Every structure is written in structure tokens, then in C-alpha cells.
Amino acid sequence: TDAAEQLTPVLPDGPREESLQFVSELKDSWCACAVDVGSVWWAAAGRRELRVVTASESAVSLWEPLAPDCWGRAYTWHLTEVPVIQIVPLPDTCNLVCVALGELEIGEIRLLLYSSETDSFKHSVVKTGNIKAVVGLKDRRLVCSSRTMQEQQVEMVLLSETGGSKNRQTLMPPEDTVTAFAEVEGIREALVGTTAGNSVVVWNLKTGQLLRKMHVGYSYPASICHRAYSDSGLLFVVLSHPHAKESESPGSPVFRVVAFNPRSGRSTGVMFSCLPPGPAGYLEGDVWDTAGAAVLTSGAVAVWDLLRGRCTAVLPAGPAGHWALARWATGGAVLLAGRCSGTVHLYRY
Amino acid sequence: CSESDLGPISLNWFEELSAEAPP
């Protein structure tokens, strides 16, 4: 069962719009500065439940629901050698947490897990290098792009349940650096990426072939892909635009849905999701299905229906502080909003 | 968008591009 559904809704200083419903709060009193928040399906004692994962630079904690509106730390992995930079979501994977570590850029990817054989929590390195982009895909697959002085390597790693790598497949790299990857809903073996040259590239994960490189256009530089959907012969890609700044608001698109025809390489914008009115720019965002969420420079979190291009909810910064993180939980429908202090709010969307 | 904007559309684009792309 979905852990969030077991929790009693409470509305202390909740969102302004009804589309986000406050579910519960989780407070990490140890946390000096939260760097990421996420969720993972966890199976224990014959049941599978949604657990929350919080990361600071030196520790990653797994939280379990103990009672309505009460979360307890189930375990903490201490990672003191290299700082944690982000949690890498692994959709539909159980009992595995993936994290990226590094100084300014990602230097290694680790899996954090519980081993029932030894009844212990442990972690293992699955990839090292100068990693530029990483994504977790369904069926325990992980794709990374890394760079040496001479060349770029793009690789898919099939993860084992015990935290190792079962198989590796090299993907043909494009000429310019890959900045982000996104799984393609509707075609299991397809993967899209965005590049530093503002192109969308498409791979065949089974063969490693680079199938297509399509330019996004000059109007929206440094586009980052979040999701892709194949439908009716078109490839719909959700892009965010990190340069959406307050100086351009309102009307500056944070997210765009762009339809690409992979056969011709031509594209057209389908829908824009713009900054809500007010002096705030885009800091970072996350997309699940057709819902986008972003932290704004004002410390608020905004949520959009990306197919309608409508901002559907805003979580204001409030007296307790600015929001720093906004992530959709695995399986969608639950938004995790985090503050630097380590406090995380769960909202049902 | 119309087909004329985007060129001819193929429902099997993934298989077709995989057959055409270098291995």
C-alpha cells in the first residue's frame, strides 16, 4: 500500500491551492544542510511501502512511516569520503537507493542497499569517472555519460539486486556533451538525451545505436530533458529551461513540451509552462508524467500541468523558510518539498 | 501541429531508424 495514503491529512500552513494536499512532515534534526530528497519502494516483512530518502553531504537516510504523520529514520548510510551530490531515482526498483557523489561534478555512483543474506545495510560503487549526466531507468537500468580529455563515454549498466552490475552496454556518444537523459514512455529500448549543443538525441538501448540528433532551436539554450513519450509516430519531450529568469517574468517558459518527428528531425512546440506572476526565477525542477514542479528563486515551489501549460499550485516560502528541493515521489501523485534544514513535507497531488 | 509542419510521420520510426543507423 502507498504509505502516504495511510497518513492523516493535516493542513497547518498548507498550499494556497487545493490541488496540493498536505499529508505529513518529516524532520531531520541531524541534518546540517539537505542536498536532495527522494523516495524508494521498500519491501520488508512481506509488504512493499513507499519510503522517503533524504541526503546531506555526508549521510543518506531512509525514512519509514511509523504512524500517521510520524516518520522514523530506518537507517542511515554514512558516506564521509566524498560528498553526496544527488539521489538518482530508480523507477519501479525495490530496496535499492542510488546516489551520485563528487566535489563539483559527479565522480562516482553508488548503490545503497540492505542485504538479507548478511542482514546488513551496505553500499557499493557501480561507476566512477568524470560523470556529466546520469539517469535511472525501469528494470534496474542506469545510464551515465562521462568524459575524458579525449572522448565521451555513454554506458548503460544493468544492476543486480545485490548492488553489483550484471551487464554493461556502451551507447554511441554524440559529438557534444550529454547534459541529461530521459526514459521514453511507450518504447522500453529507447532513450533520449539533451546535449550541450542544445540538441535532443535518441538511442536504441539494446543495440547502443545513436539513432537521431535533432536541434532544439536557438530560442531556448541549455535545454534539459526530463521525460519523453512516444505517441502517434511523434516523440514528445518535456524540456526545462534553466535560463528562465525573473527578469523575463511573467511569460518566461520554465517547461516546454516539444513534439519531434524522429523521421524528419523536425519539431514544434506543443505547450509552454511559464513562471507564475511575481519576481521569481527558476532554480531547479522535476517532472513526473505530465506534472512539473520547480523551486523558484523566491523560495516558493510551483507546480504545473504540463499538457495544459497551467500553473496549478504554489507552495509559498512561508515563515519556516524557503523551499530548496521539489521532487515527485516514485509512482507520482506525491510531491516531496524540502528545506535546507532537512524538513520535508509530503503533499498529495 | 500538422503533418506538413513536421514532415511524413511513421508509427514505426524507432524500428526504421534502428534498421538504417550504423551498428
Side-chain angles (χ1 to χ4, degrees):
Chain A
T1 51
D2 184 346
E5 285 179 5
Q6 303 163 12
L7 302 163
T8 312
V10 192
L11 285 162
D13 57 350
R16 281 180 187 160
E17 299 199 26
E18 289 171 358
S19 50
L20 280 180
Q21 185 188 10
F22 178 77
V23 178
S24 64
E25 182 182 81
L26 178 158
K27 269 187 183 167
D28 192 347
S29 51
W30 296 1
C31 189
C33 186
V35 296
D36 207 353
V37 62
S39 64
V40 62
W41 290 110
W42 206 267
R47 50 178 284 190
R48 194 178 85 138
E49 63 185 13
L50 190 72
R51 294 193 175 180
V52 171
V53 182
T54 56
S56 67
E57 279 198 356
S58 59
V60 177
S61 294
L62 181 70
W63 297 77
E64 60 184 344
L66 299 175
D69 202 25
C70 178
W71 290 77
R73 197 193 310 262
Y75 189 74
T76 297
W77 290 269
H78 294 280
L79 301 152
T80 50
E81 288 166 27
V82 187
V84 179
I85 295 181
Q86 68 173 103
I87 297 165
V88 181
L90 292 170
D92 78 3
T93 298
C94 224
N95 295 28
L96 270 186
V97 175
C98 184
V99 290
L101 304 99
E103 296 290 342
L104 284 172
E105 292 195 318
I106 301 170
E108 64 177 54
I109 307 286
R110 276 178 190 257
L111 287 178
L112 316 177
L113 66 153
Y114 169 76
S115 166
S116 54
E117 279 180 20
T118 56
D119 188 27
S120 62
F121 287 87
K122 57 179 195 173
H123 50 97
S124 63
V125 177
V126 285
K127 178 88 185 166
T128 57
N130 187 8
I131 297 164
K132 298 289 182 185
V134 57
V135 69
L137 308 176
K138 285 181 190 136
D139 305 323
R140 243 185 281 121
R141 297 172 298 169
L142 190 76
V143 178
C144 299
S145 67
S146 53
R147 188 110 228 180
T148 62
M149 288 296 276
Q150 291 81 29
E151 57 172 17
Q152 177 173 219
Q153 186 199 39
V154 184
E155 189 183 57
M156 179 175 70
V157 183
L158 186 61
L159 306 169
S160 73
E161 284 181 31
T162 53
S165 54
K166 278 207 304 206
N167 195 10
R168 288 174 189 259
Q169 160 83 56
T170 302
L171 309 182
M172 191 178 169
E175 286 159 13
D176 45 347
T177 304
V178 178
T179 54
F181 296 104
E183 191 160 22
V184 180
E185 295 287 332
I187 307 179
R188 186 187 176 274
E189 299 301 342
L191 178 74
V192 303
T194 36
T195 72
N198 216 30
S199 291
V200 165
V201 287
V202 185
W203 287 275
N204 181 328
L205 287 171
K206 197 169 184 178
T207 62
Q209 291 166 293
L210 180 64
L211 300 180
R212 184 58 98 181
K213 186 174 173 185
M214 302 173 285
H215 202 255
V216 175
Y218 295 104
S219 305
Y220 303 99
S223 302
I224 297 289
C225 62
H226 291 262
R227 292 267 156 188
Y229 319 89
S230 177
D231 191 19
S232 308
L234 295 173
L235 184 63
F236 295 87
V237 183
V238 178
L239 301 168
S240 69
H241 300 293
H243 295 315
K245 293 283 194 311
E246 55 262 62
S247 59
E248 299 162 36
S249 71
S252 182
V254 174
F255 294 106
R256 278 195 313 154
V257 181
V258 180
F260 290 89
N261 179 355
R263 280 260 44 143
S264 66
R266 291 188 209 162
S267 64
T268 186
V270 174
M271 192 51 73
F272 295 79
S273 294
C274 297
L275 287 168
Y282 169 87
L283 274 181
E284 58 128 46
D286 190 27
V287 175
W288 186 271
D289 199 21
T290 58
V295 179
L296 308 181
T297 51
S298 61
V301 169
V303 176
W304 290 266
D305 176 340
L306 299 175
L307 285 188
R308 293 188 173 81
R310 275 187 48 231
C311 180
T312 54
V314 174
L315 294 176
H322 286 199
W323 296 111
L325 301 158
R327 300 278 181 270
W328 295 105
T330 290
V334 172
L335 180 75
L336 306 164
R339 295 195 176 100
C340 283
S341 61
T343 301
V344 176
H345 281 193
L346 277 76
Y347 294 92
R348 189 174 295 118
Y349 182 61
Chain B
C1 57
S2 66
E3 188 168 309
S4 59
D5 295 331
L6 294 169
I9 288 165
S10 169
L11 294 178
N12 300 317
W13 64 267
F14 185 72
E15 292 76 16
E16 289 169 12
L17 292 180
S18 297
E20 293 165 16

